[in-house]
Amino acid sequence: MSLTWKAARSSGLHGRFSVPGDKSISHRAIIFGALAEGRTQVSGFLEGEDTRATARIFGQLGVRIDTPDAQSRIIHGVGLHGLQANSAPLDCGNAGTGMRLLTGLLCAQTFDSVLIGDASLSQRPMARVIGKLEAMGARISAREGNYAPLHVHGGQRLKPVEIDTGVASAQVKSALLLAAMYAEGESLITEPRPTRDYTEAMLQSLGWPISYSPGRIRIHGGGRLQAGEIRIPGDISSAAFLITAALLIPDSDITLVNIGVNPRRTGLLQALRMMGGRIELFNEREQGGEPVADVRVRHSALKAIDLPEELVPDMIDECPIFFVAAALSDGITHARGLAELRVKESDRIASMVAGLRAMGAVVEETPDTVTITGGRLHGAEIQSHHDHRIAMSFAVAGQCASGETVLRDCDNVATSFPGFVDLAQSAGMILE
Ligand code: S3P
């Protein structure tokens, strides 16, 4: 399927909105709810294609998951050893999180499984999880050693490890944590830079023996997970498009309510504030152990920055929309430490550089850096490469460009942000 959007200049965003639930937490809610003993009630679940794919897979593995209403799930957990074999392939769709976390979980089961994904996911590197899991005793075969389909061979005895993830990746870390739950003894997992800690937090809140500080986790195998309630806040990665749009479009003033503001996710807010963005957090509170806030954003004149490299893991999914902000700021923005962007749903450096150049921006890239000279943008025809965050980034760029912007291949936006076009329109974006 190929979906085309058209965007044009907006005269301002206004109103109070909520965005769909956090994608990372939604995947984990399904996984840990399934492994818990008893009934886990989930609210704020992301009704996206990625997270629904994960839920469907657990259905295939014998877990009953009810949908009492949209954004809610009741998961009838089967316990750590209650999953059942399924000889049919388990389809993760577009979701790297689904596939990498499930690899960690399934390699510890007594049965074999096959994980498959869509064309994009089938090109994304899996050796980063396979190699580390093999060090624990797992057996996984992949196409060319690196790509889906993944044949995960069960029946292995996993041993605890002391291991570094090697790459700043919450997916790799989480795959190792899932496997470590089944190993006999204590594992120590470290990261080169701290990444989102939702897996650790959820394990702890469901009663698993785990202790952690940023970038360093000790976990015991062989515990039990108690079922509980999981309340999922709005996804800051989805809010990011509206936040950046409101900063860039003159006369805007919006408030986004109930947004997850875990410090491992708020790098974009820090970067935009450094650029002069007027972003205020209100009503800061804790919900299910996660910091949550309402975010007010007003139009601001933005200045270029040198993006501190240590912020990159905390805004890894927001780099594309950050590049749009840079292209419309005063001065030259430098960003480095971006290599991971090349292995996302598309090569996000290449996708953004090509699109911004088509809109008239001056942009330079190296394998892991981007330099953007701020200026004006004009409408153009843009290829989204079936990447949800590229499509939404250029939908925002189109609001600030002269003429019409035509966006090709926007079909995958529903993986993370169902209802984006309707919400964007009601806020004042010109998008159809
Ligand atoms: C995610 C981790 C990040 C992020 C992705 C979600 C997660 O991926 O880009 O959207 O839920 O753990 P990496 O671990 O590959 O950096």
Side-chain angles (χ1 to χ4, degrees), residues 266-302:
T266 48
L268 179 73
L269 301 188
Q270 290 189 57
L272 293 172
R273 280 177 169 153
M274 287 172 67
M275 296 169 88
R278 291 186 292 171
I279 302 172
E280 293 160 85
L281 301 192
F282 291 100
N283 206 1
E284 291 184 60
R285 57 204 184 270
E286 215 182 88
Q287 180 185 296
E290 280 297 321
V292 169
D294 302 339
V295 184
R296 181 180 180 199
V297 187
R298 283 174 286 171
H299 167 65
S300 311
L302 299 183

mmCIF file of all heavy atoms in Angstrom, residues 266-302:
data_model
loop_
_atom_site.group_PDB
_atom_site.id
_atom_site.type_symbol
_atom_site.label_atom_id
_atom_site.label_comp_id
_atom_site.label_asym_id
_atom_site.label_seq_id
_atom_site.Cartn_x
_atom_site.Cartn_y
_atom_site.Cartn_z
ATOM 1 N N THR A 266 13.714 12.501 27.124
ATOM 2 C CA THR A 266 13.412 13.930 26.962
ATOM 3 C C THR A 266 14.570 14.721 26.344
ATOM 4 O O THR A 266 14.630 15.939 26.479
ATOM 5 C CB THR A 266 13.010 14.552 28.316
ATOM 6 O OG1 THR A 266 13.976 14.155 29.294
ATOM 7 C CG2 THR A 266 11.642 14.095 28.765
ATOM 8 N N GLY A 267 15.469 14.038 25.660
ATOM 9 C CA GLY A 267 16.586 14.733 25.012
ATOM 10 C C GLY A 267 16.113 15.820 24.059
ATOM 11 O O GLY A 267 16.702 16.902 23.997
ATOM 12 N N LEU A 268 15.039 15.550 23.322
ATOM 13 C CA LEU A 268 14.555 16.563 22.367
ATOM 14 C C LEU A 268 14.114 17.836 23.092
ATOM 15 O O LEU A 268 14.390 18.938 22.627
ATOM 16 C CB LEU A 268 13.387 16.019 21.529
ATOM 17 C CG LEU A 268 12.835 17.051 20.534
ATOM 18 C CD1 LEU A 268 13.791 17.256 19.365
ATOM 19 C CD2 LEU A 268 11.448 16.672 20.018
ATOM 20 N N LEU A 269 13.439 17.669 24.222
ATOM 21 C CA LEU A 269 12.987 18.867 24.945
ATOM 22 C C LEU A 269 14.197 19.688 25.368
ATOM 23 O O LEU A 269 14.198 20.919 25.261
ATOM 24 C CB LEU A 269 12.151 18.490 26.173
ATOM 25 C CG LEU A 269 10.881 17.672 25.929
ATOM 26 C CD1 LEU A 269 10.077 17.563 27.226
ATOM 27 C CD2 LEU A 269 10.023 18.260 24.822
ATOM 28 N N GLN A 270 15.238 19.005 25.837
ATOM 29 C CA GLN A 270 16.452 19.731 26.237
ATOM 30 C C GLN A 270 17.072 20.443 25.046
ATOM 31 O O GLN A 270 17.479 21.602 25.139
ATOM 32 C CB GLN A 270 17.470 18.760 26.837
ATOM 33 C CG GLN A 270 17.054 18.227 28.189
ATOM 34 C CD GLN A 270 18.225 17.443 28.804
ATOM 35 O OE1 GLN A 270 19.315 17.982 28.964
ATOM 36 N NE2 GLN A 270 17.994 16.190 29.103
ATOM 37 N N ALA A 271 17.164 19.742 23.929
ATOM 38 C CA ALA A 271 17.793 20.332 22.739
ATOM 39 C C ALA A 271 16.989 21.545 22.256
ATOM 40 O O ALA A 271 17.553 22.604 21.959
ATOM 41 C CB ALA A 271 17.892 19.283 21.634
ATOM 42 N N LEU A 272 15.672 21.404 22.223
ATOM 43 C CA LEU A 272 14.842 22.510 21.724
ATOM 44 C C LEU A 272 14.895 23.703 22.671
ATOM 45 O O LEU A 272 14.864 24.853 22.237
ATOM 46 C CB LEU A 272 13.398 22.043 21.526
ATOM 47 C CG LEU A 272 13.186 21.016 20.400
ATOM 48 C CD1 LEU A 272 11.752 20.492 20.431
ATOM 49 C CD2 LEU A 272 13.501 21.621 19.020
ATOM 50 N N ARG A 273 14.998 23.422 23.961
ATOM 51 C CA ARG A 273 15.140 24.541 24.911
ATOM 52 C C ARG A 273 16.470 25.254 24.709
ATOM 53 O O ARG A 273 16.549 26.470 24.789
ATOM 54 C CB ARG A 273 15.032 24.035 26.344
ATOM 55 C CG ARG A 273 13.593 23.807 26.772
ATOM 56 C CD ARG A 273 13.594 23.231 28.167
ATOM 57 N NE ARG A 273 12.265 23.217 28.746
ATOM 58 C CZ ARG A 273 11.892 22.341 29.668
ATOM 59 N NH1 ARG A 273 12.748 21.419 30.098
ATOM 60 N NH2 ARG A 273 10.681 22.386 30.169
ATOM 61 N N MET A 274 17.536 24.460 24.466
ATOM 62 C CA MET A 274 18.844 25.092 24.183
ATOM 63 C C MET A 274 18.748 26.006 22.961
ATOM 64 O O MET A 274 19.471 26.990 22.850
ATOM 65 C CB MET A 274 19.904 24.020 23.895
ATOM 66 C CG MET A 274 20.363 23.229 25.101
ATOM 67 S SD MET A 274 21.422 21.842 24.591
ATOM 68 C CE MET A 274 22.850 22.722 23.963
ATOM 69 N N MET A 275 17.849 25.654 22.048
ATOM 70 C CA MET A 275 17.689 26.456 20.822
ATOM 71 C C MET A 275 16.808 27.691 21.064
ATOM 72 O O MET A 275 16.599 28.476 20.148
ATOM 73 C CB MET A 275 17.073 25.585 19.720
ATOM 74 C CG MET A 275 17.960 24.428 19.311
ATOM 75 S SD MET A 275 17.107 23.240 18.267
ATOM 76 C CE MET A 275 17.407 23.927 16.643
ATOM 77 N N GLY A 276 16.256 27.784 22.268
ATOM 78 C CA GLY A 276 15.400 28.940 22.582
ATOM 79 C C GLY A 276 13.913 28.610 22.599
ATOM 80 O O GLY A 276 13.073 29.516 22.674
ATOM 81 N N GLY A 277 13.595 27.329 22.536
ATOM 82 C CA GLY A 277 12.187 26.931 22.490
ATOM 83 C C GLY A 277 11.473 27.149 23.823
ATOM 84 O O GLY A 277 12.028 26.807 24.869
ATOM 85 N N ARG A 278 10.280 27.715 23.762
ATOM 86 C CA ARG A 278 9.488 27.935 24.986
ATOM 87 C C ARG A 278 8.644 26.678 25.234
ATOM 88 O O ARG A 278 7.596 26.485 24.619
ATOM 89 C CB ARG A 278 8.606 29.164 24.832
ATOM 90 C CG ARG A 278 9.435 30.463 24.807
ATOM 91 C CD ARG A 278 8.545 31.669 24.812
ATOM 92 N NE ARG A 278 7.797 31.791 23.558
ATOM 93 C CZ ARG A 278 6.812 32.668 23.357
ATOM 94 N NH1 ARG A 278 6.438 33.481 24.341
ATOM 95 N NH2 ARG A 278 6.200 32.720 22.192
ATOM 96 N N ILE A 279 9.161 25.830 26.108
ATOM 97 C CA ILE A 279 8.490 24.563 26.433
ATOM 98 C C ILE A 279 8.379 24.501 27.943
ATOM 99 O O ILE A 279 9.395 24.593 28.637
ATOM 100 C CB ILE A 279 9.324 23.356 25.937
ATOM 101 C CG1 ILE A 279 9.561 23.449 24.425
ATOM 102 C CG2 ILE A 279 8.646 22.036 26.308
ATOM 103 C CD1 ILE A 279 10.523 22.398 23.891
ATOM 104 N N GLU A 280 7.174 24.380 28.448
ATOM 105 C CA GLU A 280 6.995 24.319 29.912
ATOM 106 C C GLU A 280 6.282 23.027 30.289
ATOM 107 O O GLU A 280 5.331 22.619 29.613
ATOM 108 C CB GLU A 280 6.114 25.478 30.372
ATOM 109 C CG GLU A 280 6.750 26.838 30.211
ATOM 110 C CD GLU A 280 5.681 27.908 30.220
ATOM 111 O OE1 GLU A 280 5.296 28.344 31.310
ATOM 112 O OE2 GLU A 280 5.201 28.249 29.122
ATOM 113 N N LEU A 281 6.759 22.419 31.367
ATOM 114 C CA LEU A 281 6.080 21.232 31.891
ATOM 115 C C LEU A 281 5.209 21.644 33.071
ATOM 116 O O LEU A 281 5.672 22.379 33.944
ATOM 117 C CB LEU A 281 7.085 20.176 32.354
ATOM 118 C CG LEU A 281 8.078 19.640 31.328
ATOM 119 C CD1 LEU A 281 8.782 18.401 31.871
ATOM 120 C CD2 LEU A 281 7.410 19.310 30.008
ATOM 121 N N PHE A 282 3.973 21.174 33.078
ATOM 122 C CA PHE A 282 3.041 21.448 34.168
ATOM 123 C C PHE A 282 2.561 20.146 34.760
ATOM 124 O O PHE A 282 2.625 19.111 34.108
ATOM 125 C CB PHE A 282 1.782 22.141 33.628
ATOM 126 C CG PHE A 282 2.037 23.516 33.152
ATOM 127 C CD1 PHE A 282 2.181 23.764 31.803
ATOM 128 C CD2 PHE A 282 2.149 24.551 34.045
ATOM 129 C CE1 PHE A 282 2.416 25.030 31.349
ATOM 130 C CE2 PHE A 282 2.385 25.829 33.594
ATOM 131 C CZ PHE A 282 2.519 26.070 32.248
ATOM 132 N N ASN A 283 1.994 20.260 35.957
ATOM 133 C CA ASN A 283 1.247 19.120 36.469
ATOM 134 C C ASN A 283 2.129 17.874 36.500
ATOM 135 O O ASN A 283 1.671 16.783 36.139
ATOM 136 C CB ASN A 283 0.032 18.905 35.536
ATOM 137 C CG ASN A 283 -1.103 18.224 36.237
ATOM 138 O OD1 ASN A 283 -0.999 17.926 37.433
ATOM 139 N ND2 ASN A 283 -2.168 17.943 35.507
ATOM 140 N N GLU A 284 3.399 18.056 36.876
ATOM 141 C CA GLU A 284 4.331 16.919 36.866
ATOM 142 C C GLU A 284 3.932 15.941 37.966
ATOM 143 O O GLU A 284 3.669 16.347 39.092
ATOM 144 C CB GLU A 284 5.765 17.403 37.071
ATOM 145 C CG GLU A 284 6.264 18.186 35.868
ATOM 146 C CD GLU A 284 7.702 18.615 35.984
ATOM 147 O OE1 GLU A 284 8.570 17.734 36.101
ATOM 148 O OE2 GLU A 284 7.953 19.835 35.965
ATOM 149 N N ARG A 285 3.838 14.695 37.631
ATOM 150 C CA ARG A 285 3.329 13.689 38.562
ATOM 151 C C ARG A 285 3.926 12.338 38.207
ATOM 152 O O ARG A 285 4.623 12.206 37.200
ATOM 153 C CB ARG A 285 1.807 13.643 38.485
ATOM 154 C CG ARG A 285 1.298 13.351 37.083
ATOM 155 C CD ARG A 285 -0.129 13.869 36.899
ATOM 156 N NE ARG A 285 -0.686 13.518 35.594
ATOM 157 C CZ ARG A 285 -0.577 14.261 34.511
ATOM 158 N NH1 ARG A 285 0.085 15.400 34.533
ATOM 159 N NH2 ARG A 285 -1.114 13.872 33.368
ATOM 160 N N GLU A 286 3.622 11.344 39.029
ATOM 161 C CA GLU A 286 4.074 9.997 38.743
ATOM 162 C C GLU A 286 2.861 9.132 38.445
ATOM 163 O O GLU A 286 1.839 9.247 39.122
ATOM 164 C CB GLU A 286 4.814 9.446 39.952
ATOM 165 C CG GLU A 286 5.955 8.556 39.543
ATOM 166 C CD GLU A 286 6.658 7.978 40.740
ATOM 167 O OE1 GLU A 286 6.220 6.912 41.211
ATOM 168 O OE2 GLU A 286 7.607 8.602 41.189
ATOM 169 N N GLN A 287 2.965 8.330 37.429
ATOM 170 C CA GLN A 287 1.854 7.447 37.079
ATOM 171 C C GLN A 287 2.432 6.065 36.832
ATOM 172 O O GLN A 287 3.233 5.885 35.923
ATOM 173 C CB GLN A 287 1.168 7.996 35.824
ATOM 174 C CG GLN A 287 0.001 7.177 35.351
ATOM 175 C CD GLN A 287 -0.547 7.732 34.039
ATOM 176 O OE1 GLN A 287 -1.040 8.850 33.982
ATOM 177 N NE2 GLN A 287 -0.449 6.939 32.982
ATOM 178 N N GLY A 288 2.057 5.117 37.675
ATOM 179 C CA GLY A 288 2.597 3.760 37.532
ATOM 180 C C GLY A 288 4.120 3.759 37.555
ATOM 181 O O GLY A 288 4.747 3.032 36.795
ATOM 182 N N GLY A 289 4.713 4.614 38.398
ATOM 183 C CA GLY A 289 6.167 4.641 38.518
ATOM 184 C C GLY A 289 6.874 5.473 37.456
ATOM 185 O O GLY A 289 8.083 5.623 37.497
ATOM 186 N N GLU A 290 6.139 6.007 36.480
ATOM 187 C CA GLU A 290 6.777 6.797 35.419
ATOM 188 C C GLU A 290 6.441 8.274 35.583
ATOM 189 O O GLU A 290 5.281 8.619 35.843
ATOM 190 C CB GLU A 290 6.264 6.341 34.039
ATOM 191 C CG GLU A 290 6.919 5.091 33.504
ATOM 192 C CD GLU A 290 8.407 5.266 33.257
ATOM 193 O OE1 GLU A 290 8.826 6.331 32.797
ATOM 194 O OE2 GLU A 290 9.160 4.317 33.568
ATOM 195 N N PRO A 291 7.437 9.172 35.392
ATOM 196 C CA PRO A 291 7.121 10.600 35.416
ATOM 197 C C PRO A 291 6.271 11.006 34.205
ATOM 198 O O PRO A 291 6.547 10.589 33.078
ATOM 199 C CB PRO A 291 8.498 11.273 35.373
ATOM 200 C CG PRO A 291 9.442 10.253 34.861
ATOM 201 C CD PRO A 291 8.860 8.900 35.174
ATOM 202 N N VAL A 292 5.256 11.791 34.496
ATOM 203 C CA VAL A 292 4.293 12.206 33.468
ATOM 204 C C VAL A 292 4.051 13.700 33.666
ATOM 205 O O VAL A 292 4.121 14.192 34.798
ATOM 206 C CB VAL A 292 2.974 11.412 33.671
ATOM 207 C CG1 VAL A 292 1.842 11.951 32.830
ATOM 208 C CG2 VAL A 292 3.198 9.932 33.362
ATOM 209 N N ALA A 293 3.783 14.436 32.590
ATOM 210 C CA ALA A 293 3.519 15.875 32.712
ATOM 211 C C ALA A 293 2.637 16.335 31.557
ATOM 212 O O ALA A 293 2.459 15.621 30.569
ATOM 213 C CB ALA A 293 4.829 16.654 32.707
ATOM 214 N N ASP A 294 2.102 17.552 31.709
ATOM 215 C CA ASP A 294 1.465 18.239 30.597
ATOM 216 C C ASP A 294 2.510 19.204 30.037
ATOM 217 O O ASP A 294 3.299 19.765 30.793
ATOM 218 C CB ASP A 294 0.229 19.007 31.066
ATOM 219 C CG ASP A 294 -0.786 18.065 31.723
ATOM 220 O OD1 ASP A 294 -0.720 16.842 31.459
ATOM 221 O OD2 ASP A 294 -1.631 18.550 32.495
ATOM 222 N N VAL A 295 2.532 19.360 28.742
ATOM 223 C CA VAL A 295 3.599 20.121 28.092
ATOM 224 C C VAL A 295 2.980 21.271 27.302
ATOM 225 O O VAL A 295 2.174 21.035 26.393
ATOM 226 C CB VAL A 295 4.419 19.208 27.133
ATOM 227 C CG1 VAL A 295 5.585 19.976 26.520
ATOM 228 C CG2 VAL A 295 4.932 17.961 27.864
ATOM 229 N N ARG A 296 3.335 22.515 27.676
ATOM 230 C CA ARG A 296 2.850 23.667 26.907
ATOM 231 C C ARG A 296 3.976 24.174 26.012
ATOM 232 O O ARG A 296 5.120 24.324 26.452
ATOM 233 C CB ARG A 296 2.401 24.783 27.852
ATOM 234 C CG ARG A 296 1.867 25.982 27.089
ATOM 235 C CD ARG A 296 1.424 27.079 28.025
ATOM 236 N NE ARG A 296 0.930 28.208 27.259
ATOM 237 C CZ ARG A 296 0.810 29.437 27.734
ATOM 238 N NH1 ARG A 296 1.110 29.698 28.999
ATOM 239 N NH2 ARG A 296 0.362 30.417 26.976
ATOM 240 N N VAL A 297 3.639 24.458 24.769
ATOM 241 C CA VAL A 297 4.640 24.883 23.793
ATOM 242 C C VAL A 297 4.123 26.109 23.059
ATOM 243 O O VAL A 297 2.988 26.114 22.576
ATOM 244 C CB VAL A 297 4.907 23.768 22.748
ATOM 245 C CG1 VAL A 297 6.063 24.145 21.846
ATOM 246 C CG2 VAL A 297 5.187 22.438 23.430
ATOM 247 N N ARG A 298 4.973 27.132 22.992
ATOM 248 C CA ARG A 298 4.598 28.329 22.233
ATOM 249 C C ARG A 298 5.615 28.613 21.134
ATOM 250 O O ARG A 298 6.797 28.305 21.288
ATOM 251 C CB ARG A 298 4.514 29.532 23.178
ATOM 252 C CG ARG A 298 3.231 29.511 23.991
ATOM 253 C CD ARG A 298 3.217 30.594 25.020
ATOM 254 N NE ARG A 298 4.112 30.256 26.115
ATOM 255 C CZ ARG A 298 4.430 31.103 27.092
ATOM 256 N NH1 ARG A 298 3.937 32.320 27.089
ATOM 257 N NH2 ARG A 298 5.231 30.720 28.063
ATOM 258 N N HIS A 299 5.140 29.233 20.063
ATOM 259 C CA HIS A 299 6.045 29.577 18.957
ATOM 260 C C HIS A 299 7.267 30.317 19.499
ATOM 261 O O HIS A 299 7.136 31.178 20.364
ATOM 262 C CB HIS A 299 5.321 30.463 17.941
ATOM 263 C CG HIS A 299 6.275 31.083 16.964
ATOM 264 N ND1 HIS A 299 6.993 30.333 16.068
ATOM 265 C CD2 HIS A 299 6.671 32.364 16.785
ATOM 266 C CE1 HIS A 299 7.771 31.129 15.359
ATOM 267 N NE2 HIS A 299 7.602 32.370 15.774
ATOM 268 N N SER A 300 8.434 29.970 18.989
ATOM 269 C CA SER A 300 9.682 30.569 19.464
ATOM 270 C C SER A 300 10.633 30.732 18.280
ATOM 271 O O SER A 300 10.634 29.896 17.371
ATOM 272 C CB SER A 300 10.358 29.650 20.491
ATOM 273 O OG SER A 300 9.452 29.227 21.480
ATOM 274 N N ALA A 301 11.446 31.765 18.328
ATOM 275 C CA ALA A 301 12.500 31.905 17.306
ATOM 276 C C ALA A 301 13.649 30.995 17.734
ATOM 277 O O ALA A 301 14.185 31.153 18.831
ATOM 278 C CB ALA A 301 12.951 33.356 17.235
ATOM 279 N N LEU A 302 13.998 30.031 16.911
ATOM 280 C CA LEU A 302 15.012 29.043 17.305
ATOM 281 C C LEU A 302 16.385 29.395 16.737
ATOM 282 O O LEU A 302 16.500 29.857 15.594
ATOM 283 C CB LEU A 302 14.605 27.642 16.833
ATOM 284 C CG LEU A 302 13.289 27.086 17.395
ATOM 285 C CD1 LEU A 302 13.069 25.655 16.895
ATOM 286 C CD2 LEU A 302 13.254 27.116 18.919
#
